Amino acid sequence: MGCGNVFFTLIITLSVALITYNILISANASLKQELPGPSTSSIIDPIIQMPVEKSRKYGSNAEKRLFHTAVTASDSVYNTWQCRVMYYWFKKHKNGPNSDMGGFTRILHSGKPDNYMNEIPTFIARPLPAGMDQGYIVLNRPWAFVQWLQKADIKEDYILMAEPDHIIVKPIPNLSKDGLGAAFPFFYIEPKKYELVLRKYFPEEKGPITNIDPIGNSPVIVGKDSLKKIAPTWMNVSLAMKKDPETDKAFGWVLEMYAYAVSSALHGVGNILYKDFMIQPPWDTEIGNKFIIHYTYGCDYNLKGKLTYGKIGEWRFDKRSFDTEAPPRNLPLPPPGVPESVVSLTSTLL
């Protein structure tokens, strides 16, 4: 290991130790830490009440409030084909009616270019040092956002944080307003249920636990300046949560989602909970006014169109079936009786 790698690992290790101390031991102390990497030693991340942004004024030309769509990804086959599909549909809808969609960036946290740099606008981010994610690769997501926000020239004033397994099905307007973010509420993010755990990171002087919104980091539309303040906290709270056995056990695979919700609340950035932001087949059966299809769940049906969730169906689509190769272009359509949401999902992949 070279001197640069040793220094990088030492800095990020000290960063995690300091954030853990501040959050777990000294709830009354403001949080300050150095971010990982030699170029970030002057970055300060105070946990303070952030002033609400003023609403922007618009003239008769109705100036657009454009947002930049950002997706983090690894260089795996699994993430790559999803990003290619996602970017294809982004381009289809970018210039549609009522769209506030601006630029697009895939934040590639592999630390090196891949074969799709010319196809998808890409920013190369450094991954966490080996072993720091403890097998939970999603911890690279907040660290990748920190790097992108520090180094990239982002023209838009707002950011849409999306994921590779999001398919945009219609033009997306800027749903945020009055200094508030716009976020999808997840039924399994339950701050009140886990108050005792969350108070390790969100002390009582910060307000009621209900100040933590039931959201993850995606999909979220948030002001760029707000996200620049939230992102370092999100990174460090994620690492601190993963290091704490009680928190890790309580939150499991949604730990980093809780970390974003906590970090947004610590900085006083509330969110409009927008249920129509996206659907999640097979549980959501109609697209309606939704903007995004999130295909995180497997879809299993018999040939009569009846859902057989928990049992492999005679017809099925599950993204996890394509971890080593992309879905074929002749992916069979579902049988009659399958909901619109699932039919639309599979149609977008053809």
Side-chain angles (χ1 to χ4, degrees):
M1 178 182 292
C3 293
N5 288 336
V6 172
F7 178 73
F8 178 69
T9 303
L10 177 60
I11 290 295
I12 197 169
T13 302
L14 291 174
S15 171
V16 174
L18 183 54
I19 180 66
T20 303
Y21 175 80
N22 274 302
I23 291 179
L24 303 184
I25 305 300
S26 182
N28 294 321
S30 62
L31 175 61
K32 296 182 179 180
Q33 78 287 325
E34 293 186 352
L35 301 178
S39 64
T40 60
S41 59
S42 63
I43 303 298
I44 301 299
D45 175 31
I47 302 300
I48 59 174
Q49 187 74 13
M50 198 176 72
V52 174
E53 298 172 357
K54 300 293 185 182
S55 299
R56 291 175 63 182
K57 303 297 183 182
Y58 303 100
S60 57
N61 291 330
E63 178 187 352
K64 284 181 173 291
R65 299 184 303 139
L66 297 179
F67 58 80
H68 193 104
T69 300
V71 180
T72 59
S74 71
D75 60 358
S76 67
V77 172
Y78 178 69
N79 263 184
T80 300
W81 69 257
Q82 292 175 43
C83 285
R84 297 182 72 193
V85 171
M86 201 273 187
Y87 184 52
Y88 174 87
W89 289 105
F90 167 88
K91 291 187 292 182
K92 285 287 187 182
H93 294 292
K94 175 182 176 180
N95 296 318
N98 302 314
S99 170
D100 285 319
M101 299 160 66
F104 183 100
T105 299
R106 175 184 60 150
I107 308 174
L108 187 63
H109 53 71
S110 61
K112 60 183 185 299
D114 66 0
N115 294 329
Y116 297 93
M117 304 292 292
N118 294 328
E119 178 180 329
I120 309 173
T122 300
F123 173 88
I124 304 297
R126 299 175 69 179
L128 290 168
M132 183 156 283
D133 64 14
Q134 300 180 61
Y136 182 52
I137 193 172
V138 185
L139 288 182
N140 282 284
R141 181 172 172 84
W143 171 221
F145 264 104
V146 168
Q147 296 172 74
W148 178 63
L149 290 164
Q150 288 178 352
K151 298 177 182 179
D153 181 18
I154 306 164
K155 304 298 185 183
E156 299 82 358
D157 290 333
Y158 298 85
I159 307 296
L160 165 60
M161 292 187 288
E163 296 185 13
D165 61 352
H166 286 178
I167 293 178
I168 297 172
V169 293
K170 64 184 60 174
I172 305 176
N174 190 335
L175 302 170
S176 67
K177 63 180 181 180
D178 299 329
L180 299 171
F184 179 81
F186 291 91
F187 71 89
Y188 49 78
I189 302 296
E190 303 176 275
K192 187 64 178 178
K193 179 179 177 180
Y194 294 102
E195 179 169 4
L196 291 178
V197 174
L198 290 171
R199 284 301 185 190
K200 297 180 180 182
Y201 315 96
F202 191 77
E204 291 188 3
E205 64 260 29
K206 296 299 179 183
I209 207 70
T210 51
N211 284 357
I212 301 175
D213 293 321
I215 64 171
N217 59 80
S218 174
V220 171
I221 299 176
V222 63
K224 177 174 62 179
D225 290 341
S226 295
L227 188 56
K228 284 182 176 180
K229 296 178 174 69
I230 293 169
T233 310
W234 173 28
M235 179 191 74
N236 285 298
V237 171
S238 296
L239 292 169
M241 284 183 169
K242 188 63 180 176
K243 288 191 68 175
D244 179 60
E246 181 185 20
T247 308
D248 190 23
K249 181 178 180 181
F251 296 154
W253 66 274
V254 297
L255 179 148
E256 168 260 354
M257 297 172 68
Y258 271 101
Y260 180 83
V262 167
S263 301
S264 185
L266 285 170
H267 284 286
V269 180
N271 295 275
I272 302 166
L273 303 181
Y274 204 85
K275 290 184 178 180
D276 283 346
F277 214 145
M278 72 178 186
I279 60 170
Q280 301 185 98
W283 310 118
D284 299 312
T285 58
E286 298 180 356
I287 294 178
N289 295 321
K290 315 302 190 296
F291 299 101
I292 293 171
I293 296 176
H294 182 208
Y295 54 100
T296 189
Y297 298 107
C299 300
D300 289 275
Y301 292 86
N302 63 25
L303 295 182
K304 295 181 179 180
K306 182 179 179 181
L307 181 67
T308 62
Y309 196 80
K311 177 183 177 182
I312 294 178
E314 296 172 280
W315 180 92
R316 75 185 316 250
F317 174 77
D318 188 335
K319 64 178 183 177
R320 297 161 192 82
S321 300
F322 304 100
D323 59 342
T324 59
E325 61 181 0
R329 290 188 177 275
N330 60 343
L331 191 71
L333 288 172
V338 168
E340 172 202 15
S341 61
V342 179
V343 175
S344 297
L345 166 62
T346 52
S347 296
T348 62
L349 298 172
L350 294 177

